[in-house]
Amino acid sequence: MCDKGSMAQYTRVSGFVGLITLQNPPVNALSAAVRQGIVDMVERALSDPIVKSVVICGQNGNFCGGADIKEFGTNMSGPPLVPMIDAIEAANKPVVAAIEGSALGGGLELALGCHYRIAHSKARLGLPEVTLGLLPAAGGTQRLSRLIGVPAALNLITTGIHVTAAQALQLGIVDQVTDHNAVEVAVTFSLSVAGQSMDARRISTYPCPLPSDFDALFEGVMQKVRQSARGAIAPVACVQAVRAAATLPYTKGMEREQELMATLFTSGQARAQQYCFFAQRAVGRWRMPSGARWETSKPMPVHKAAVIGLGTMGRGITVALAQTGLSVVAVETQEKQLMEAKQAVSGMLERGAKRHGVAPMLDRISYSQNIQAVAEVDLVIEAVFEDMALKTEVFQQLSAVCKPGTLLCTNTSALDVDKLASEMPNPELVVGMHFFAPAHVMKLLEVVYGPRSSPQAVATAMQLGKKMGKVSVAVGNCRGFVGNRMLMPYLQQAFFLLEEGATPELVDRALEEFGFPMGVFRMSDLSGLDIGWRVRKRDELVEPDMASGQSARIRQGSRYSPLGDLLCEQGRFGQKTGQGWYRYDKPGSRVARSDPWLHSFLVEYRARHGLVPRSIDHQEVLERCLYALINEGFRILEDGIAAGPEDIDVIYVFGYGWPRHRGGPMFYASMVGLAKILERLEHYQQAHPDVPYLQPSSLLRRLVASDSPPIHRWREVIKKYQSQL
Ligand SMILES: C[C@H](O)[C@H](C)C(=O)SCCNC(=O)CCNC(=O)[C@H](O)C(C)(C)COP(=O)([O-])OP(=O)([O-])OC[C@H]1O[C@@H](n2cnc3c(N)ncnc32)[C@H](O)[C@@H]1OP(=O)([O-])[O-]
């Protein structure tokens, strides 16, 4: 017997079991209609005299992805979650959760309200609300702490990690793990406990086990959380909610949980993090200015791939490819470099495999000094030294060796992908796959297409990126693509601020308090000042003669700061030389210490160039560095290099350390207010007319003139703007 139309289907199975199936594809999120369906069907099952036990499961092998995030920010209707789950827990018949696929957030909280949880071995469980700027607010902080103890609950709730079914069993979250159909196992199990009292299975009635070092534990966790949160408020509230579970009776603890959730739910941070959630999914639905789109562009199959050049990036890319299970040919012409690379790659694979409890995939890779070895692969990623002539030569060799239709991808971070393609017999098969160091760790991948790249080539690179576990963003070819192009004005403003009186410490502190893991100068020291210097030399920006006076600080008619060049001329490349913007105990150390030499160098530099230092506050640092970066973001949207603000924001959150609780540069601009951004840019441009990057972009002006529409409507304005160009 079944009941159609509700988003929770009710069926009586095995004669006496009421089976409630959530029906809201693709993840059975707990929308208002699903919640109503659950309330109705639980009532039905409990009042059905024939029914002895109840099983709750999700349609399509997916239990429940939690509350419906799309409902946040709307007037939420339908029955609230907490009493719905309390009613299940209070039931006088056994209620068993049959967990397949995901049980996340409100989905796991629903399962914690059940008397038993049976999970399929491939299931994933967790309370990831903190990643959405929230906390588990349907009893998760109170029930999980009582079920698995405070330390384990703190770890899951403050990190939002997903655990496997095996880990959930070990933690005590689930009662059984099965390789068979979890629903069938749950139905049989539920009958085996039918008629028994469920009093001992109501988690909210459990005492919360108190760790012996209670205060020390919470102090330690709070300190760690505050440090890693970098200004995000949700992780702190999560600790406070679990503390309530450990110190208050269930009902009081629930009140505290709701209280804390109320402070988060409407916060700008929660909106920013939920925007990131959907933006991360939106970038997968790419489109090119030609009109080609993800739905209509079929990727080519890739069974075998190759990496050319096994330096730092090539090694990371080889590891990331092998971890997908693909067979990989790794080519390095220098024997010594090849041997070292083989060792490094094997080490990275073994460490990764140990961490994830899987096989290291060493046999997936074959090494060669000969480019002929890639004749049969479907896709090649070139990662040789960043030099156009060398890359062109390698690509020409590849065009001669590879079988027809092989995709040629370059890992260049700034060179002209289309120029490279133009030298090839099949330019349509050339795209950029711009990885970020370390390539087997960093999630971001910029897939760079030129006007000659075929949609099929883009689709293939995007699909491979997803397979490698990357967040892939399709962007147009231009200098620095999206990420590095926006970094130029950001870096430039940081240099100018030093000229005008700031110190690296002050600039970095402002950016780190904003939420970046590292300020611009500590980051430069980490990546190496010589990298930027090489690029500036290639762009003929580094004048050999650093005579004092105005001309030393003008290039191509615009203001220029030679500060970075001067440091490099003295061999101060950052961590690798033990000196840069900061000093380090020895080359390679990571702890940055203020350097008196650098401070006197700045004083002397300003005097030599007639610059009078002035006091600069954090607000000015943020406005100049971030608004200049954002302004370049608008230019990128004008040029159609990025299809929408989400593309830019995902790139900055996953590749450049932009704090997720600030949403990304473009989302942040919409929160600050576009009119404010424009006004500040105009203010600074007036003060610095010789800095083109401060010239407000016409799209920004256009958006402000259209009353600053909300960010989800920018694509319309951009489309209209581009059609009028
Ligand atoms: C009270 C309570 O305490 C609180 C307050 C909460 O419960 S807050 C909510 C907490 N829950 C979460 O944080 C889990 C979020 N979801 C995920 O982590 C993943 O989705 C997934 C479950 C691991 C599946 O991954 P996937 O890779 O297979 O597919 P997908 O591409 O990601 O998702 C497929 C499609 O489903 C959409 N979607 C996924 N989860 C959703 C959700 N919870 N609400 C609404 N839509 C959701 C997603 O936008 C995409 O849509 P579209 O792009 O196709 O239009």
Side-chain angles (χ1 to χ4, degrees):
M1 180 171 54
C2 48
D3 178 319
K4 292 270 174 272
S6 156
M7 288 180 79
Q9 185 190 53
Y10 180 72
T11 325
R12 201 179 319 130
V13 294
S14 302
F16 308 101
V17 178
L19 178 62
I20 299 172
T21 308
L22 310 192
Q23 299 182 315
N24 185 14
V27 298
N28 299 319
L30 296 165
S31 63
V34 172
R35 297 195 305 273
Q36 189 61 59
I38 294 172
V39 169
D40 299 345
M41 298 312 144
V42 167
E43 216 169 280
R44 180 175 197 150
L46 297 182
S47 57
D48 184 336
I50 300 173
V51 165
K52 295 187 180 344
S53 58
V54 182
V55 170
I56 299 180
C57 68
Q59 194 184 41
N60 307 333
N62 216 348
F63 185 70
C64 176
D68 188 339
I69 307 168
K70 293 196 179 87
E71 286 186 349
F72 300 167
T74 67
N75 296 335
M76 290 177 72
S77 60
L81 270 174
V82 172
M84 177 190 93
I85 296 173
D86 286 348
I88 292 169
E89 188 186 65
N92 55 7
K93 298 176 183 178
V95 182
V96 180
I99 300 171
E100 296 169 315
S102 306
L104 298 171
L108 178 55
E109 291 171 301
L110 170 62
L112 292 174
C114 299
H115 306 119
Y116 296 92
R117 286 152 294 282
I118 295 186
H120 186 273
S121 52
K122 290 208 172 72
R124 312 278 297 179
L125 303 88
L127 294 175
E129 284 84 346
V130 72
T131 65
L132 297 167
L134 305 171
L135 56 77
T141 63
Q142 307 304 303
R143 287 197 172 90
L144 192 68
S145 309
R146 285 170 165 75
L147 184 63
I148 70 173
V150 165
L154 274 172
N155 177 40
L156 260 67
I157 293 170
T158 57
T159 60
I161 54 169
H162 300 182
V163 294
T164 63
Q167 290 164 331
L169 183 66
Q170 206 172 13
L171 286 165
I173 299 174
V174 299
D175 304 288
Q176 202 177 317
V177 171
T178 176
D179 291 325
H180 305 295
N181 177 305
V183 179
E184 289 165 11
V185 173
V187 166
T188 310
F189 175 82
S190 76
L191 282 172
S192 73
V193 293
Q196 295 177 12
S197 159
M198 289 298 115
D199 289 351
R201 301 297 302 179
R202 308 186 207 282
I203 299 173
S204 67
T205 65
Y206 294 7
C208 185
L210 277 190
S212 53
D213 56 349
F214 179 79
D215 286 328
L217 170 82
F218 272 98
E219 246 158 69
V221 170
M222 188 59 98
Q223 201 184 0
K224 211 173 97 212
V225 158
R226 282 191 196 283
Q227 207 165 15
S228 57
R230 292 188 268 116
I233 56 178
V236 174
C238 286
V239 176
Q240 293 163 330
V242 173
R243 188 185 179 97
T247 54
L248 300 171
Y250 177 74
T251 328
K252 285 279 174 228
M254 280 303 290
E255 283 168 19
R256 182 74 178 125
E257 180 188 277
Q258 302 305 306
E259 208 178 276
L260 289 162
M261 178 63 156
T263 62
L264 299 177
F265 201 67
T266 51
S267 72
Q269 293 194 3
R271 282 173 48 206
Q273 289 176 258
Q274 286 148 33
Y275 163 83
C276 281
F277 176 85
F278 290 116
Q280 188 183 337
R281 283 142 186 88
V283 294
R285 298 189 280 269
W286 55 271
R287 67 177 169 79
M288 295 160 75
S290 63
R293 310 167 63 88
W294 65 286
E295 307 102 310
T296 51
S297 310
K298 203 168 172 319
M300 293 182 275
V302 176
H303 304 298
K304 198 169 182 180
V307 179
I308 312 293
L310 299 180
T312 311
M313 291 306 289
R315 293 170 192 184
I317 296 167
T318 303
V319 169
L321 281 170
Q323 286 170 334
T324 67
L326 276 175
S327 63
V328 183
V329 182
V331 177
E332 171 55 60
T333 49
Q334 312 301 317
E335 187 178 358
K336 182 166 170 298
Q337 177 96 328
L338 181 71
M339 300 324 289
E340 287 168 3
K342 194 170 177 181
Q343 213 175 355
V345 166
S346 306
M348 285 190 264
L349 282 170
E350 276 150 3
R351 286 191 297 280
K354 202 150 163 252
R355 240 191 334 273
H356 299 102
V358 294
M361 301 287 194
L362 299 178
D363 61 347
R364 310 300 315 150
I365 308 173
S366 59
Y367 296 87
S368 172
Q369 282 183 268
N370 185 340
I371 203 158
Q372 291 292 338
V374 307
E376 291 312 314
V377 304
D378 306 303
L379 178 146
V380 181
I381 302 177
E382 161 279 312
V384 301
F385 185 71
E386 193 75 337
D387 173 76
M388 186 55 110
L390 175 61
K391 288 184 186 288
T392 306
E393 187 197 327
V394 170
F395 266 56
Q396 278 159 352
Q397 288 173 7
L398 289 170
S399 296
V401 166
C402 291
K403 64 185 169 89
T406 299
L407 207 58
L408 303 182
C409 311
T410 171
N411 177 54
T412 179
S413 60
L415 297 177
D416 186 337
V417 173
D418 191 49
K419 183 163 182 318
L420 199 54
S422 66
E423 314 270 348
M424 298 306 122
N426 302 98
E428 75 282 2
L429 294 174
V430 174
V431 289
M433 285 185 83
H434 178 208
F435 292 84
F436 290 75
H440 64 300
V441 177
M442 288 295 282
K443 293 278 279 178
L444 181 65
L445 172 67
E446 279 184 322
V447 171
V448 184
Y449 57 79
R452 295 167 235 250
S453 306
S454 69
Q456 211 188 9
V458 175
T460 309
M462 289 292 282
Q463 188 183 57
L464 178 59
K466 188 162 187 182
K467 190 173 175 149
M468 294 165 87
K470 303 297 181 192
V471 178
S472 309
V473 185
V475 299
N477 176 49
C478 70
R479 196 175 137 65
F481 315 137
V482 170
N484 289 346
R485 176 173 160 179
M486 290 168 71
L487 211 56
M488 308 292 254
Y490 172 80
L491 278 171
Q492 187 190 62
Q493 286 302 313
F495 281 13
F496 292 163
L497 286 161
L498 292 189
E499 292 192 335
E500 295 162 36
T503 61
E505 292 82 352
L506 177 125
V507 173
D508 282 355
R509 202 169 316 114
L511 295 167
E512 286 158 20
E513 282 174 10
F514 178 81
F516 281 98
M518 267 191 184
V520 58
F521 293 110
R522 281 203 311 133
M523 180 54 86
S524 306
D525 274 359
L526 171 68
S527 39
L529 277 61
D530 52 327
I531 298 186
W533 194 33
R534 235 193 339 263
V535 174
R536 292 191 296 275
K537 276 187 181 166
R538 193 184 52 224
D539 301 340
E540 294 162 6
L541 287 172
V542 178
E543 303 275 348
D545 166 24
M546 299 313 298
S548 74
Q550 191 60 7
S551 65
R553 296 178 39 251
I554 294 287
R555 297 287 183 286
Q556 295 143 9
S558 306
R559 180 175 169 187
Y560 176 82
S561 171
L563 278 171
D565 307 333
L566 292 171
L567 258 63
C568 288
E569 275 164 27
Q570 307 193 31
R572 297 177 70 99
F573 296 159
Q575 287 184 6
K576 62 177 100 176
T577 57
Q579 295 168 320
W581 297 107
Y582 296 89
R583 65 181 174 79
Y584 301 81
D585 295 346
K586 59 181 180 359
S589 321
R590 295 184 171 282
V591 181
R593 304 186 192 289
S594 286
D595 188 341
W597 178 93
L598 194 274
H599 289 252
S600 358
F601 160 77
L602 284 175
V603 170
E604 187 272 323
Y605 170 91
R606 294 185 195 117
R608 180 148 47 89
H609 292 283
L611 298 162
V612 181
R614 59 183 175 81
S615 137
I616 292 171
D617 63 13
H618 283 196
Q619 187 56 27
E620 179 173 354
V621 171
L622 293 181
E623 290 185 352
R624 287 182 57 182
C625 290
L626 304 184
Y627 294 4
L629 176 143
I630 288 165
N631 192 39
E632 194 60 21
F634 281 114
R635 289 209 175 96
I636 283 172
L637 292 172
E638 279 170 22
D639 300 348
I641 297 294
E646 297 84 354
D647 301 87
I648 294 177
D649 289 336
V650 166
I651 285 171
Y652 261 76
V653 167
F654 286 92
Y656 292 80
W658 185 282
R660 200 182 165 93
H661 63 268
R662 304 253 190 202
M666 308 322 280
F667 181 87
Y668 174 69
S670 70
M671 294 292 270
V672 169
L674 301 185
K676 165 106 190 273
I677 303 269
L678 178 57
E679 182 271 321
R680 298 312 291 161
L681 281 169
E682 285 170 337
H683 165 78
Y684 291 119
Q685 204 236 339
Q686 212 158 32
H688 309 283
D690 53 353
V691 180
Y693 276 132
L694 291 173
Q695 167 78 34
S697 96
S698 2
L699 176 61
L700 173 58
R701 289 188 187 286
R702 166 76 65 101
L703 284 162
V704 172
S706 332
D707 299 329
S708 304
I711 194 164
H712 64 269
R713 291 211 9 249
W714 290 8
R715 284 176 186 252
E716 294 155 41
V717 179
I718 295 166
K719 223 170 173 176
K720 219 152 96 214
Y721 174 88
Q722 286 165 344
S723 65
Q724 289 161 355
L725 285 179

